Amino acid sequence: MRGQMTVAALAERLGITRSNLHKRIRREGVKTTKVPCSTGGGVQWLTAVPVNYANQLARRYEEARANAEMLAEKAREENP
C-alpha cells in the first residue's frame, strides 16, 4: 500500500466525513484502488487514493481554514 492513503484516514486528517470525501473524489475524477485490510474475522477491502492527491487536498483544506480564520478575525476587528 505504498504511496496510497485510505479514504478513512484522509477523512479523519481533514476533519470531514468519509461520505463527503468520497463524493469529492468522484467529482474530481481521482483514480482510487481497493486495498486489503485484515480484520479479526477476515479481510476487508478499503478504498485508497494516491498519497500525493491526499497531501494536495490536505494543503488546500489547510489554506482554506487559514483564510477563513483570517476573514473572521478581520470581521471581528471591523465589527467589535
Side-chain angles (χ1 to χ4, degrees):
M1 197 177 113
R2 212 164 259 235
Q4 296 179 337
M5 178 180 261
T6 64
V7 170
L10 180 56
E12 187 175 321
R13 178 178 173 187
L14 298 177
I16 62 174
T17 64
R18 289 185 313 219
S19 175
N20 286 343
L21 182 54
H22 273 289
K23 290 175 192 172
R24 175 176 218 118
I25 289 168
R26 270 189 247 105
R27 190 172 54 240
E28 293 183 2
V30 177
K31 179 78 173 139
T32 60
T33 56
K34 296 286 187 176
V35 294
C37 175
S38 62
T39 61
V43 175
Q44 189 175 25
W45 291 86
L46 303 176
T47 305
V49 294
V51 77
N52 60 350
Y53 171 75
N55 290 335
Q56 174 192 26
L57 192 58
R59 197 169 27 257
R60 290 192 326 220
Y61 266 76
E62 289 167 9
E63 289 171 2
R65 282 193 184 111
N67 193 23
E69 285 180 22
M70 184 185 67
L71 291 174
E73 183 76 28
K74 190 181 286 186
R76 279 192 294 270
E77 289 173 2
E78 291 175 1
N79 303 317

